[in-house]
Amino acid sequence: MKLYLAPLQGMTTACYRNAYARIFGGIDAYYSPFIATADNERISRALLKDLLPEHNEDRVKIVPQLLSNSGEAFRRFAGTIYEMGHTEINWNIGCPFPMVTKKKKGAGILSHPHMIQSFLDTVCENLPYSLTVKMRLGMNSGEEGLRVMEILNQYPLGGVIIHARTGVQMYSGSVDLEAFEALSAACRHQVTYNGDIFTSGGFTSISERLPAVNNFMLGRGALRDPFLPWAIRGKTFSPADKVHMLREFHGEILQYYKTSLSGEKHICDKMKEFWSYISVHTDRDGKLMKKIKKCHSLISYLEIVNQVLDSPDCWNDTPLRSI
Ligand SMILES: Cc1cc2nc3c(=O)[nH]c(=O)nc-3n(C[C@H](O)[C@H](O)[C@H](O)COP(=O)(O)O)c2cc1C
């Protein structure tokens, strides 16, 4: 069985992936948040900064992801990324945000199978790297996904990751395991399941329902509970070890933002995002998040966070609330 960390824009950047792999681990590959391709000939180095070898520790297998509906632009970007040493590149055809979908990118391209066909005709000629795809069930319905799969089946892909929701669902409602089963059965590539795995119990029921699937991608669940990948693999940590690991993780992420962002308010805002996930397991009544949201200075922020992390029973294995 393989477990992958899903890309989450603004969260799973190099510093986060490095710290996660070093402190928690249990993940076979980390997918990076998407980089949107641009039409200009010259690719700015700043755009690809998150993928540079100097920012990514050797132990961390990363898979860069591109968002594009232009085969030519994708080839150029992917070629440059491949030259940096990355051997798998992922194509995002699952992003559900209207800003993206209305341009027929992300999940928006799922309603236009002819565009997918001509994109892959261009991209798949003499592929030096493994091309994988991350998709949804369809933009509007599972039928769309099935039409897309007929096309994906014609190309030499390294695998297909399916988030078991449609694009119009965004992140609401529940995953549709029946539609996932139909789409994965129609896929001749290796399939990875993605969507709503939040606990090891939840993983067990999904994996028992999908016996043919060996690869799973964890997103929000693994950010809320960084012990989840190991819990799924059957390894547990003592409560004291968990708090120690959380403290170390928090310290590294905070240190990174202190050096890369200017202004304490800006840093506090970024750390709020971090806590919006972790607090699902530490904040029973929502008070912690309320306090963190009000912080504008690092002194007040650290006072609140230390109160949490100084308490040996701050971590709860079961999620305390849904977000
Ligand atoms: C804030 C946020 C940012 C995301 N950014 C990306 C992204 O850059 N690329 C991508 O393929 N999916 C992105 N996703 C989707 C996740 O990778 C994943 O498919 C989705 O959250 C479902 O998995 P989960 O239920 O395990 O979280 C994002 C999701 C969220 C909530």
Side-chain angles (χ1 to χ4, degrees):
M1 177 188 70
K2 299 268 189 224
L3 289 179
Y4 304 124
L5 190 74
L8 270 83
Q9 200 68 237
M11 281 299 295
T12 61
T13 48
C15 157
Y16 192 96
R17 298 187 302 259
N18 291 335
Y20 200 105
R22 193 164 358 94
I23 299 165
F24 306 109
I27 292 285
D28 294 291
Y30 295 74
Y31 284 68
S32 75
F34 73 74
I35 294 169
T37 64
D39 290 332
N40 353 351
E41 273 304 309
R42 238 177 75 81
I43 300 171
S44 111
R45 200 178 141 84
L47 212 53
L48 305 183
K49 194 173 130 210
D50 187 56
L51 308 175
L52 293 171
E54 57 264 40
H55 296 144
N56 289 282
E57 290 173 14
D58 287 345
R59 82 185 79 212
V60 188
K61 152 101 175 118
I62 67 165
V63 179
Q65 187 188 65
L66 293 173
L67 178 82
S68 183
N69 62 9
S70 154
E72 290 77 16
F74 189 100
R75 265 187 92 92
R76 259 185 303 111
F77 272 69
T80 306
I81 291 169
Y82 171 67
E83 281 163 17
M84 288 173 168
H86 299 290
T87 52
E88 176 183 338
I89 300 178
N90 183 259
W91 183 32
N92 176 329
I93 52 171
C95 179
F97 292 106
M99 257 167 23
V100 168
T101 55
K102 70 179 187 219
K103 292 183 202 149
K104 300 182 184 156
K105 291 180 187 171
I109 204 171
L110 294 172
S111 318
H112 304 278
H114 62 283
M115 284 179 73
I116 294 181
Q117 180 114 45
S118 70
F119 178 96
L120 291 173
D121 278 343
T122 307
V123 170
C124 291
E125 212 183 288
N126 302 321
L127 265 184
Y129 48 83
S130 168
L131 176 69
T132 56
V133 168
K134 182 165 178 284
M135 68 184 293
R136 289 199 174 219
L137 298 173
M139 178 62 199
N140 302 287
S141 70
E143 285 72 47
E144 279 178 345
L146 288 166
R147 277 195 293 276
V148 168
M149 198 57 81
E150 279 174 29
I151 293 169
L152 299 184
N153 283 343
Q154 299 163 22
Y155 296 88
L157 303 180
V160 178
I161 302 157
I162 305 171
H163 175 187
R165 281 192 174 81
T166 57
V168 287
Q169 266 187 288
M170 308 277 283
Y171 291 94
S172 66
S174 47
V175 287
D176 183 345
L177 295 181
E178 218 170 287
F180 174 89
E181 275 174 318
L183 193 55
S184 61
C187 180
R188 73 166 187 88
H189 305 292
Q190 196 170 76
V191 168
T192 297
Y193 171 86
N194 171 235
D196 290 15
I197 298 176
F198 297 124
T199 60
S200 54
F203 168 81
T204 305
S205 52
I206 289 181
S207 62
E208 282 176 358
R209 168 81 191 266
L210 306 170
V213 177
N214 291 315
N215 308 315
F216 296 87
M217 176 175 265
L218 310 173
R220 293 162 297 170
L223 269 60
R224 293 174 192 176
D225 177 359
F227 309 104
L228 180 61
W230 276 119
I232 287 174
R233 294 180 191 276
K235 178 173 165 182
T236 53
F237 299 89
S238 72
D241 280 349
K242 284 187 175 174
V243 179
H244 179 79
M245 289 156 90
L246 277 179
R247 187 182 280 286
E248 196 181 341
F249 188 49
H250 171 267
E252 276 206 34
I253 306 292
L254 177 62
Q255 185 53 33
Y256 171 73
Y257 287 129
K258 275 185 180 169
T259 54
S260 62
L261 298 175
S262 60
E264 295 198 1
K265 163 111 179 35
H266 204 178
I267 299 167
C268 291
D269 284 345
K270 211 54 211 170
M271 294 312 291
K272 273 172 217 162
E273 269 182 64
F274 173 89
W275 282 101
S276 69
Y277 290 96
I278 297 287
S279 68
V280 170
H281 288 265
T282 61
D283 188 12
R284 192 173 297 278
D285 49 15
K287 280 190 186 147
L288 168 69
M289 273 322 286
K290 262 194 202 141
K291 283 189 202 159
I292 290 182
K293 275 185 189 148
K294 284 189 195 142
C295 283
H296 297 303
S297 76
L298 283 175
I299 287 188
S300 58
Y301 169 75
L302 280 172
E303 205 176 304
I304 294 160
V305 167
N306 282 331
Q307 269 172 24
V308 177
L309 294 175
D310 283 346
S311 144
D313 57 357
C314 72
W315 180 262
N316 288 274
D317 285 329
T318 35
L320 296 169
R321 58 195 168 83
S322 56
I323 47 170

